[in-house]
């Protein structure tokens, strides 16, 4: 039983890693960022490329992927999203376009493949990341044998979630983000530089997606389409947890991951996934605003 | 302190403010009067930088701020207490007040002593959510938030609207104290002519997006009030 719960926990932490960034860009900023999955993918490719070209291992790739995807996110906000605040469906379409651009950029090796040049680690093919010795095999926690890499993912997720909580609820930056989320005009009238804070918030959410990508690359094959199903998972978690609620996102990731793990252990993965969808539909039917959501005006 | 020169303001395609020219002298209360829908609130929003399209010049201490975004105007010393108060219901009283401090030029995030003097209730209930306060207390909170910016100029939009009568006088006293004791320049949108005459030194009467009369408060005759404010 402890093993099943541990597997559920590790599934939860992967869901949470992907959803954490969305909880910020979708939850706090009201942008449906369809490129979020591609930012996860970009983070995975940073791991692949830094392994090949810089001989960095997966742990060193975490800060690098954070910076790279945060920068991509910053550019997306500056060039596209900033013109679309308050136009939810337009953000969906525009960021979907951005998602396709990012995918193609990886697939076509930034266009170099047209000229017969190739970059090791990019292109249409599948890529693999080797996990360092220390993170392979099993370790024993509390008398239970657990996969070391899964334990590592849980650890990283806990740290990032705590860092996000500190940033959003205990820092002056977080007060500005939450004020903008509730009343952007009044926030501006109070001296908050709404455009700058929005750009940085979006960059932070994107950086989290990049870190999720690094974690994914440790146990999944890396390829240009890998992000597409993840953005679905991410939105499931955020919508079920309640838009704008960090606590809701955490609990919803925990719930869905456990359901997935438990159902998969007694039946199979496909039924488990169907069960997750069923639960999310049930939550949205019964509580259209999700499990937790801050009281609106 | 503040001077508007031929300011035109628009919401989308509707032309709301027409060539507004107005002087707001330092250290005084200037009352903006007029019927509903003549552009009083729009004028304050235009001053704060919340109106999307604006033409003309807005001079704050001689510097044109008409092209500046709202947050810069706030940091330049303009604080805004909007109609309907717009406090944040799920922020605590402390967080609501400190929101204003992002406009402080010295970057400090403190609740000014003045807030404690004027609004003892607020400083005794810093951890309560803003949303549970009564209308009058929320109005105090909105004023406290503006004061946390350590402003030079306070824009007040109908501060006694929708507040129970027993509290109205208290708010009015506070507005006068802010001007007389704390030396704040105040631009006050007001429907209550009696209070405007009592508190303000200057007035501007608006009609259909234009300033039709502006002068010292002594010139605010009953005939003028009757012509532009009687319903």
């Amino acid at each position: 039983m402890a093993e099943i719960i541990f597997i559920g926990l590790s599934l939860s932490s992967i869901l949470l890693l992907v959803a954490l960034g969305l909880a910020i860009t979708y939850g706090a900023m009201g942008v449906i960022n369809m490129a979020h999955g591609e930012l996860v993918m970009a983070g995975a490719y940073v791991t692949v490329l830094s392994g090949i070209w810089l001989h960095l291992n997966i742990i060193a790739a975490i800060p690098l992927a954070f910076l790279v995807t945060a920068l991509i996110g910053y550019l997306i906000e500056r060039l596209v999203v900033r013109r679309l605040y308050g136009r939810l469906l337009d953000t969906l379409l525009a960021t979907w376009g951005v998602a396709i651009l990012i995918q193609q950029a990886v697939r076509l090796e930034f266009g170099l493949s047209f000229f017969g040049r190739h970059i090791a680690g990019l292109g249409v093919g599948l890529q693999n990341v080797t996990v360092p010795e220390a993170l392979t095999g099993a370790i024993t926690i509390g008398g239970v044998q657990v996969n070391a890499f899964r334990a590592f993912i849980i650890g990283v997720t806990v740290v990032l979630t705590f860092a996000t909580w500190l940033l959003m609820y205990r820092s002056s930056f977080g007060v500005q983000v939450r004020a903008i989320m509730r009343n952007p005009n009044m926030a501006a009238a109070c001296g908050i530089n709404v455009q700058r804070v929005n750009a940085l918030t979006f960059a932070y959410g994107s950086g989290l997606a990049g870190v999720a990508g690094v974690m994914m690359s440790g146990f999944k094959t890396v390829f240009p389409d890998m992000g597409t199903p993840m953005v679905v998972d991410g939105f499931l978690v955020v919508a079920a947890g309640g838009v704008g609620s960090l606590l809701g996102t955490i609990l919803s990731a925990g719930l869905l991951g456990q359901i997935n793990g438990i159902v998969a252990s007694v039946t199979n993965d496909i039924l488990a996934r169907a069960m997750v969808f069923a639960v999310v539909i049930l939550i949205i039917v019964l509580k259209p605003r999700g499990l937790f959501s801050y009281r609106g005006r | 302190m503040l001077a508007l020169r031929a300011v035109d303001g628009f919401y989308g395609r509707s032309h709301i403010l027409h060539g507004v020219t107005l002087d707001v002298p330092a250290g005084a209360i200037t009352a903006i009067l007029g019927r509903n829908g003549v552009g009083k609130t729009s004028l304050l929003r235009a001053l704060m930088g919340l109106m999307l399209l604006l033409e003309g010049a807005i001079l704050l201490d001689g510097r044109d701020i008409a092209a500046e975004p709202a947050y810069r105007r706030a940091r330049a010393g303009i604080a805004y207490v909007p109609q309907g108060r717009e406090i944040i219901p799920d922020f605590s009283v402390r967080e609501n007040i400190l929101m204003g401090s992002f406009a402080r030029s010295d970057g400090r995030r403190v609740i000014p002593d003045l807030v404690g003097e004027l609004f003892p209730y607020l400083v005794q209930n810093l951890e309560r959510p803003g949303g549970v306060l009564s209308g009058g207390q929320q109005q105090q909170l909105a004023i406290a938030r503006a004061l946390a910016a350590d402003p030079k100029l306070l824009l007040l939009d109908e501060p006694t609207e929708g507040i129970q009568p027993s509290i109205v006088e208290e708010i009015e006293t506070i507005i006068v104290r802010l001007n007389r004791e704390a030396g704040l320049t105040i631009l006050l949108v007001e429907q209550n002519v009696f209070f405007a005459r009592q508190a303000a030194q200057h007035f501007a009467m608006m009609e259909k997006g234009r300033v039709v009369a502006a002068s010292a408060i002594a010139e605010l005759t009953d005939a003028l009030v009757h012509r532009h404010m009687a319903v």
Side-chain angles (χ1 to χ4, degrees):
Chain A
M1 193 60 205
E3 260 169 73
I4 295 172
I5 288 176
F6 179 78
I7 289 175
L9 204 59
S10 91
L11 290 170
S12 299
S13 58
I14 292 161
L15 281 177
L16 184 55
L17 265 179
V18 177
L20 211 51
L22 275 180
I24 290 168
T25 52
Y26 176 52
M29 304 177 70
V31 173
I32 296 188
N33 182 14
M34 292 301 278
H36 194 77
E38 274 56 40
L39 292 164
V40 175
M41 180 268 282
Y45 271 95
V46 169
T47 322
V48 172
L49 292 172
S50 64
I52 295 174
W53 296 97
L54 304 171
H55 306 292
L56 293 176
N57 71 15
I58 195 163
I59 296 170
I62 293 175
L64 190 63
F66 181 88
L67 289 177
V68 170
T69 50
L71 183 67
I72 299 173
Y74 184 84
L75 292 175
I76 295 174
E77 202 278 344
R78 274 286 142 123
L79 298 174
V80 180
V81 169
R82 102 192 279 188
R83 293 156 218 277
L84 301 175
Y85 286 119
R87 293 160 59 187
L88 198 64
L89 288 177
D90 293 339
T91 62
L92 184 153
L93 285 174
T95 54
W96 191 7
V98 172
I100 295 169
L101 278 173
I102 298 174
Q103 264 188 37
Q104 290 301 98
V106 171
R107 201 174 275 136
L108 301 173
E109 302 163 59
F110 300 109
L112 289 176
S113 62
F114 289 125
F115 306 102
R117 289 169 178 271
H118 294 283
I119 302 171
L122 289 177
V124 290
L126 307 180
Q127 309 291 337
N128 271 308
V129 169
T130 29
V131 175
E133 286 287 322
L135 295 176
T136 53
I139 53 171
T140 313
I141 300 175
V144 188
Q145 286 266 314
V146 297
N147 177 308
F149 194 73
R150 284 183 186 273
F152 177 59
I153 291 179
I154 293 172
V156 169
T157 308
V158 168
V159 169
L160 284 184
T161 307
F162 185 65
T164 303
W165 177 80
L166 278 181
L167 183 70
M168 299 300 276
Y169 292 93
R170 284 292 176 272
S171 77
S172 130
F173 182 79
V175 175
Q176 299 185 48
V177 174
R178 288 182 293 133
I180 292 171
M181 176 176 159
R182 286 154 176 80
N183 191 336
N185 272 339
M186 207 54 230
C190 285
I192 296 172
N193 186 346
V194 175
Q195 289 194 339
R196 180 168 162 272
V197 172
N198 274 343
L200 291 177
T201 312
F202 201 87
Y204 179 74
S206 305
L208 291 178
V211 176
V214 177
M215 294 296 113
M216 297 289 172
S217 72
F219 67 101
K220 279 189 168 177
T221 314
V222 177
F223 57 100
D225 292 334
M226 69 182 285
T228 314
M230 283 169 203
V231 77
V232 176
D233 287 348
F235 277 114
L236 285 183
V237 171
V238 176
V243 170
S245 163
L246 189 60
L247 182 68
T249 304
I250 296 167
L251 292 179
S252 140
L255 180 73
L256 299 182
Q258 287 299 347
I259 290 172
N260 197 340
I262 291 167
V263 177
S265 74
V266 291
T267 59
N268 59 46
D269 278 337
I270 297 174
L271 212 58
R273 186 136 177 95
M275 192 66 197
V276 167
F277 281 121
V279 168
V280 171
I281 290 170
L282 198 69
I283 290 173
I284 291 172
V285 167
L286 295 177
K287 298 199 77 177
R289 304 190 63 186
L291 294 171
F292 294 82
S293 65
Y294 72 90
R295 255 170 290 139
R297 267 180 291 159
Chain B
M1 153 142 293
L2 184 77
L4 288 83
R5 296 286 173 260
V7 170
D8 281 71
F10 307 81
Y11 283 125
R13 283 187 191 166
S14 23
H15 194 166
I16 306 289
L17 297 175
H18 299 263
V20 172
T21 293
L22 179 68
D23 285 289
V24 179
I29 296 181
T30 302
I32 310 277
L33 303 163
R35 293 190 185 91
N36 282 330
V38 296
K40 305 188 296 294
T41 293
S42 298
L43 181 65
L44 292 198
R45 290 176 62 88
L47 285 173
M48 196 64 239
L50 300 175
M51 191 174 255
L52 291 179
L53 200 58
L54 203 70
E55 286 164 14
I58 300 174
L59 305 168
L60 181 66
D61 293 329
R63 188 167 66 93
D64 189 3
I65 57 164
E68 305 237 312
Y71 81 93
R72 287 232 188 130
R73 300 188 195 195
R75 291 179 189 182
I78 305 180
Y80 180 41
V81 179
Q83 205 173 16
R85 310 180 277 271
E86 300 199 27
I87 58 124
I88 294 183
D90 65 322
F91 274 21
S92 66
V93 168
R94 179 197 305 275
E95 282 181 306
N96 267 293
I97 297 175
L98 288 180
M99 227 178 113
S101 68
F102 288 109
R104 281 179 72 109
S105 42
D106 57 6
R108 289 176 63 208
R109 302 203 60 221
V110 290
I111 297 174
D113 296 338
L114 185 61
V115 169
E117 271 171 47
L118 294 174
F119 310 114
Y121 175 83
L122 294 181
V123 291
Q124 284 155 18
N125 291 276
L126 286 174
E127 306 310 326
R128 295 191 80 188
V132 304
L133 302 186
S134 73
Q137 289 159 350
Q138 290 191 6
Q139 186 63 56
Q140 297 186 350
L141 182 55
I143 295 173
R145 175 177 63 189
L147 294 178
D150 193 19
K152 292 187 277 190
L153 169 67
L154 198 56
L155 310 177
L156 292 171
D157 197 349
E158 302 206 22
T160 56
E161 186 215 20
I163 284 172
Q164 52 172 316
S166 58
I167 311 290
V168 167
E169 206 173 319
E170 199 183 316
I171 301 268
E172 289 176 348
T173 313
I174 282 165
I175 293 169
V176 173
R177 282 183 66 187
L178 283 175
N179 173 249
R180 311 286 197 273
E181 291 170 26
L184 275 172
T185 307
I186 295 175
L187 189 59
L188 170 74
V189 166
E190 187 54 71
Q191 295 275 16
N192 180 346
V193 176
F194 181 75
F195 174 58
R197 281 185 169 140
Q198 215 178 22
Q201 291 89 341
H202 303 273
F203 79 97
M205 182 68 78
M206 288 186 74
E207 182 91 77
K208 292 179 183 161
R210 292 178 170 84
V211 172
V212 288
S215 181
I217 198 78
E219 312 286 316
L220 181 63
T221 59
D222 287 342
L224 201 60
V225 169
H226 192 74
R227 191 178 333 136
H228 296 291
M229 289 185 77
V231 181

